Amino acid sequence: SFHQVCSPFIQAARCYARPVRRKRKDIPSHLDDLPPTMLKKDYTNIPVINSVDDVVRRLLSLEMASQKEKIKIKTQQLVEKVRRSPHDNGSFEVQVAILTAKIRTYEEHLQRHPKDKNNRRRMLMAIDRRKKLLAYLRRVRYDTFENTCKQLGIQYSLPPPYSRRVTKRWLVKKAFCLKVFQEVRKLKAPERIKQRKERRARARAAREKAAQCEG
């Protein structure tokens, strides 16, 4: 048959051409600490939930919940750590907590799908927004800023000082601007001297008039 006549080279080529399935790495998630027996967000405060069947309770728990439901509960947990009062839903600390949950979700997604540019852009926008909120808290309420970073596990680093790369073009442009500024000052020098003399004459006349009134 054909398989008996087939050379070892062709067999090796067939084996080489087989698609190799890569084993997925176990990426740690910030949702791993949620217990599977915890109920979903919409069913936590219902009194009838204690008398339902075990199967129904499992269906309403995080064991059968989607990723979206788990993210809601994780966001609520982070908000509870930093909110000022039970009715606080819009303070800077709460906004930082919500953005932190989003950023960590984006980071996990990008570890599995590193070429997803759309979500990478969203993550960078959320990081920039959180940096602005933390910078404001650090400037206005430093104790709240420290507590927020501690409770949410955020490592805040100061932005680097502004530095501009010195290029030949920039040096030529700067020298030209300085030369223009000096030439304009030379042209305006007589006018400035004239205005200075007029101000001094007015001040002298005002002092003489005041001395005459006192005398």
Side-chain angles (χ1 to χ4, degrees):
S1 64
F2 176 75
H3 293 288
Q4 293 174 352
V5 181
C6 185
S7 66
F9 176 75
I10 295 176
Q11 290 180 359
R14 282 178 181 168
C15 295
Y16 180 77
R18 285 177 188 169
V20 179
R21 291 184 180 180
R22 293 183 179 178
K23 189 178 179 181
R24 274 192 171 185
K25 295 180 181 179
D26 293 332
I27 299 170
S29 173
H30 71 293
L31 306 174
D32 291 340
D33 58 342
L34 294 175
T37 56
M38 181 184 290
L39 294 173
K40 296 179 184 178
K41 185 181 177 184
D42 299 332
Y43 305 104
T44 50
N45 298 323
I46 299 177
V48 189
I49 204 70
N50 296 321
S51 59
V52 297
D53 192 2
D54 290 341
V55 178
V56 178
R57 192 176 180 88
R58 283 185 65 191
L59 288 172
L60 301 180
S61 66
L62 294 185
E63 186 179 354
M64 305 291 181
S66 62
Q67 183 85 353
K68 192 174 180 181
E69 287 285 342
K70 293 179 181 179
I71 291 170
K72 279 184 183 178
I73 292 178
K74 174 55 70 173
T75 305
Q76 190 66 25
Q77 286 182 354
L78 295 180
V79 167
E80 290 292 339
K81 290 181 179 180
V82 296
R83 71 186 344 170
R84 303 177 189 176
S85 65
H87 304 289
D88 177 21
N89 295 318
S91 63
F92 286 97
E93 304 92 278
V94 171
Q95 293 180 51
V96 168
I98 295 171
L99 287 171
T100 301
K102 284 184 180 179
I103 290 166
R104 289 172 182 170
T105 306
Y106 284 136
E107 285 175 348
E108 292 173 16
H109 175 78
L110 289 169
Q111 284 181 356
R112 293 186 177 89
H113 310 282
K115 294 184 179 181
D116 190 350
K117 295 182 180 179
N118 195 13
N119 278 320
R120 184 176 296 279
R121 182 177 64 85
R122 292 176 183 171
M123 184 187 74
L124 293 175
M125 288 170 65
I127 289 172
D128 288 342
R129 175 66 181 158
R130 188 178 69 173
K131 277 184 181 178
K132 290 178 182 177
L133 294 173
L134 287 173
Y136 175 82
L137 278 176
R138 187 175 183 274
R139 188 171 67 251
V140 177
R141 302 176 61 185
Y142 190 80
D143 53 343
T144 308
F145 161 78
E146 274 194 332
N147 182 55
T148 304
C149 291
K150 182 180 177 182
Q151 294 294 335
L152 301 179
I154 299 173
Q155 292 183 354
Y156 181 81
S157 56
L158 290 172
Y162 176 76
S163 60
R164 182 167 184 165
R165 189 167 62 91
V166 178
T167 59
K168 188 176 180 181
R169 179 191 176 105
W170 181 76
L171 289 173
V172 171
K173 185 178 179 181
K174 186 176 180 182
F176 177 74
C177 291
L178 285 173
K179 189 175 181 180
V180 170
F181 176 71
Q182 290 169 0
E183 292 296 329
V184 171
R185 286 199 69 181
K186 287 178 183 177
L187 292 173
K188 291 184 177 180
E191 186 67 23
R192 287 202 310 273
I193 293 171
K194 183 181 176 182
Q195 291 177 358
R196 193 182 304 137
K197 287 181 179 179
E198 289 176 355
R199 285 198 303 269
R200 288 177 180 176
R202 286 197 299 268
R204 193 183 305 113
R207 286 197 299 270
E208 291 175 356
K209 188 176 180 180
Q212 288 176 4
C213 291
E214 289 178 0

